[in-house]
Structure formats: C-alpha cells, structure tokens
Amino acid sequence: MARSEYLFTSESVSEGHPDKLCDRISDAIVDAYLTADPFSRVAVETLTTTNRIVLSGEVRGHASITKEVREEVARKAVKEVGYDQAGFNLADIQLDDYVHAQSVDIAQGVDAAGNKDEGAGDQGIMFGYACRETDVLMPAPIYYSHQILKSLAEARHSGAEPKLEPDSKSQVTLRYENGMPVGAASVVVSTQHAAGASQDEIREIVRPHVKNVLPDGWMCPEDEFYVNPTGKFEIGGPDGDTGLTGRKIIVDTYGGAAPHGGGAFSGKDPTKVDRSAAYAARYLAKNVVAAGIADGCTIQLAYAIGVSKPLSLYVDTFGTGEVDDDRVGEALTKCMDLSPRGIREHLSLSRPIYARTAAYGHFGRHPEPDGGFSWEKTDLVDALTAAVG
C-alpha cells in the first residue's frame, strides 16, 4: 500500500550552473544545425572550467556550421546567461573544438533505406510521467524548485536584483498528506552573488521569490529556510566547478519522483531516442492523466539501435486508472506511431527548439507557438478517450 503521509524533496539548478551552461551550449549547437538542415545528426558534448570551453562529439549536417560558427554559438550562450567575471568571461575564454563526423556504422543503423524505416540512434529505455500535483501535471517539488530559480533569474536579467549572479541551486521539501502535497517543510536556495553582499542581505532578496512561487500558506518554517548556508557564494559557475553536458538528468525530468532511463537529452538531435522517446513518453503520460483515465501514469519505452519499432511499452497507473493498464497501453499504440520517425513527425521535433529546454526542466512547460515544448500538449485526449472506450 502506498504511503499517504511523508516528506519528498527535489532540487533544481539555474541556467548559470556550470552543468546547465554546458547543456545550453550543446543545445544551442543542435539548434544551429537544425536551422541549417532539419535532418542533421548531432551529438555534441560541452565541458566548461575556468575560462575554457571544450566541445566534442559527432555530427552530420550542413557545411555552413563550421568550427567558427560553433564557437560563435557557444560564446553567445555564455553572454545570454550573463557571465562576466574574472574566471569566466568572453574576453578570456579559450574554446577548443573536437567535434567530428558521425560514425558511418551508426549512420547506417539510423538512416532509412529501401524498405527499412529510420531506426533508433541507440538502444535504451525511456520514461514518461504525469500526476495531478500541479496544473501542469508535474510533481510539485521539482516544479516549485524550478520556478524559484526561474523567478530569481528573471529578476537578475531585468536588473531588479543586481547583486545576484548566474549560478544558483534550489531544493524544496514538501509535506504530503493523503498522497498530495500540502506545504513546504524546508526550502534551500544557494545563489551566487556580488562581492561583499551579506548572507542576511541575500536571504531577504531570495525570500519574496520563494513566497511568491509557493501556494498561499505553503512557506516553510523560518528555521527551515536556508539561503547560502555556507555563508557566501561569490565564486561560481565554471570558475568554481567544472561543468559537463548531461549531468543533471533528474533535474531535467521529474526530480526523482519517477524513474529515469539514464540517457541525457541535451546536445542530441531528435533522432536520438534518449531525447525524443522521453518526450513522447511524457506526452503520452500527460495525455492519459489529462483525459481523466488515471490520476498518475508512468510509461516506459524501450528501443534497439537501428530498429524502428519500440521493443516494449509499459504502463503503470498505480491503481488509479479507470481502465486496466494493458488497455491503456493498447490505446496508446493506436493513437501514436512510436517509431523514431513517427515521434519526430508527430511532435514536430526537427526544429531549432532546444536551447530553451536546457534550464528549468524539459517538462511542465507550456507549448509554444513555434513548436517548442510540443510534447506538453494535451491534444491526444479525445483520441485516447475514444480508444479506451
């Protein structure tokens, strides 16, 4: 029997966190390739440290995306995030590019040819999840962790809070009763700040952003509100800690409230099922919950490299389903083609829409007019309802 009363914690990191900066650079490079050719193949990793950026990976795309273009894209990402400090600034950053052509062995497995459909770019398992804890059908702890940092970043970019710097982290612990969140037990925010700002000063800058994000009456007790608990946080970003693409996969998804298959998203074009099938699984799970078929839903998909059809589809509605899980699974396969090509075309993923996903979560966002976050749509509700009868 599921527990009804408990504490659950999730964390988020800001766009200026060194790992997230790497995700942003890698995804901006994906966007550059897809802008030039929507059928590009991209797998680009980024490393950042004190005044250095290293790019590596495999690509197949338009010749116009040269080393110089990739460097320009990377530097633009750094500028947009807002880094300008002694240990990481545009004037002093050295960039090394080791990106090379995609392996022909991988390419022959992925490409469509003759009667062979486009295959998965790798083997792997991917999960999607949705629940009724928030209006965007996401677990509440990760959702509020993201929103706190997003609010702080908006204040920093606007100039409203000039003492804030780009690197920050949040952690929200919620109290659950009868299986639903009812308030915050503790909140932790660590944010990089201008030299000389005191811990108490930063605490009062952060406080309204936390209170405004949490629902009324949910603020944690004062002695459980932690801001920069080490005292000061002046050295941050890649100068304070090395960053790598793909190290924040739980931040990117459900904050630990649901399984993760292991593959990262950022830096990968939509033929990579690590990314596209995880988006499809979220899309299906969200539509199951939005349709009222269940109050919560986990979906797992599995693929083999070079094979177009999914090897398995698993559905778990945790006993909340209006119909049994096998029937839900059958309905899902009728409503969406889950081959790599089918996913890419159904969700219109071959567009330059990925740099914006790199911070504050890939899920729980709002669909955008240009196709961004298309996997957050609930346009499958009617078809699912009809399919399950």
Side-chain angles (χ1 to χ4, degrees):
M1 181 179 293
R3 297 172 62 190
S4 62
E5 297 186 7
Y6 54 91
L7 301 179
F8 193 85
T9 305
S10 294
E11 70 159 348
S12 180
V13 297
S14 72
E15 65 200 51
H17 184 281
D19 294 333
K20 278 287 136 206
L21 178 63
C22 290
D23 287 345
R24 171 75 166 264
I25 292 169
S26 293
D27 275 337
I29 290 171
V30 171
D31 284 351
Y33 274 97
L34 293 177
T35 298
D37 177 3
F39 300 104
S40 295
R41 301 288 187 263
V42 187
V44 170
E45 313 291 342
T46 304
L47 177 148
T48 57
T49 187
T50 302
N51 278 329
R52 178 163 293 201
I53 298 172
V54 180
L55 305 178
S56 65
E58 303 78 43
V59 298
R60 187 181 72 193
H62 199 277
S64 63
I65 309 301
T66 60
K67 281 190 174 185
E68 292 74 20
V69 170
R70 290 193 294 267
E71 177 168 357
E72 181 182 354
V73 168
R75 290 182 179 277
K76 182 181 178 184
V78 172
K79 183 177 182 180
E80 288 174 346
V81 168
Y83 271 111
D84 186 16
Q85 54 195 45
F88 202 73
N89 65 86
L90 289 173
D92 295 329
I93 287 172
Q94 176 182 330
L95 190 143
D96 301 314
D97 188 321
Y98 299 102
V99 175
H100 58 85
Q102 184 187 53
S103 160
V104 293
D105 291 347
I106 293 175
Q108 71 179 357
V110 176
D111 292 345
N115 293 325
K116 175 186 173 298
D117 195 5
E118 180 181 297
D122 201 352
Q123 70 177 47
I125 56 174
M126 299 84 205
F127 287 91
Y129 179 71
C131 63
R132 294 197 182 280
E133 294 181 18
T134 60
D135 61 359
V136 292
L137 305 185
M138 282 287 287
I142 187 65
Y143 176 74
Y144 294 125
S145 294
H146 286 323
Q147 295 307 307
I148 289 167
L149 295 186
K150 192 173 183 182
S151 179
L152 289 169
E154 288 169 353
R156 176 174 62 85
H157 283 298
S158 72
E161 297 294 354
K163 293 185 178 181
L164 297 179
E165 297 289 343
D167 192 359
S168 60
K169 303 177 76 171
S170 64
Q171 184 173 284
V172 174
T173 300
L174 296 185
R175 187 174 71 257
Y176 282 71
E177 295 179 1
N178 298 317
M180 291 296 288
V182 296
S186 66
V187 175
V188 183
V189 177
S190 295
T191 180
Q192 186 186 9
H193 58 81
S198 70
Q199 184 182 24
D200 287 343
E201 188 177 4
I202 299 303
R203 181 186 183 91
E204 295 314 309
I205 289 172
V206 168
R207 184 188 300 276
H209 294 275
V210 175
K211 292 187 72 172
N212 290 340
V213 162
L214 294 175
D216 290 344
W218 278 37
M219 186 62 181
C220 63
E222 186 64 19
D223 62 353
E224 294 292 339
F225 179 44
Y226 304 96
V227 176
N228 287 3
T230 61
K232 72 174 185 178
F233 184 3
E234 293 179 6
I235 301 171
D239 189 30
D241 191 9
T242 298
L244 289 170
T245 301
R247 284 206 298 197
K248 289 293 179 284
I249 58 177
I250 302 304
V251 170
D252 285 343
T253 54
Y254 308 103
H260 192 295
F265 304 156
S266 290
K268 299 175 182 177
D269 74 80
T271 68
K272 313 295 192 292
V273 285
D274 278 346
R275 177 168 227 157
S276 57
Y279 290 172
R282 160 64 178 173
Y283 173 68
L284 294 178
K286 185 174 183 180
N287 275 271
V288 166
V289 175
I293 295 169
D295 290 334
C297 183
T298 289
I299 289 174
Q300 184 204 62
L301 295 168
Y303 291 85
I305 187 168
V307 178
S308 61
K309 67 179 181 67
L311 305 185
S312 66
L313 166 66
Y314 167 80
V315 178
D316 185 357
T317 60
F318 316 105
T320 69
E322 294 294 319
V323 298
D324 66 53
D325 292 346
D326 288 342
R327 193 164 156 194
V328 175
E330 291 170 3
L332 293 173
T333 58
K334 292 176 182 177
C335 293
M336 185 175 179
D337 176 0
L338 292 171
S339 69
R341 183 200 295 273
I343 292 170
R344 182 167 49 79
E345 293 180 350
H346 187 107
L347 297 176
S348 301
L349 296 180
S350 298
R351 308 184 191 192
I353 54 174
Y354 297 106
R356 70 193 76 169
T357 69
Y360 315 119
H362 292 245
F363 308 130
R365 310 288 285 270
H366 295 288
E368 298 179 347
D370 67 349
F373 302 103
S374 60
W375 49 93
E376 290 296 311
K377 292 181 178 179
T378 54
D379 56 355
L380 213 59
V381 163
D382 290 344
L384 271 177
T385 302
V388 297

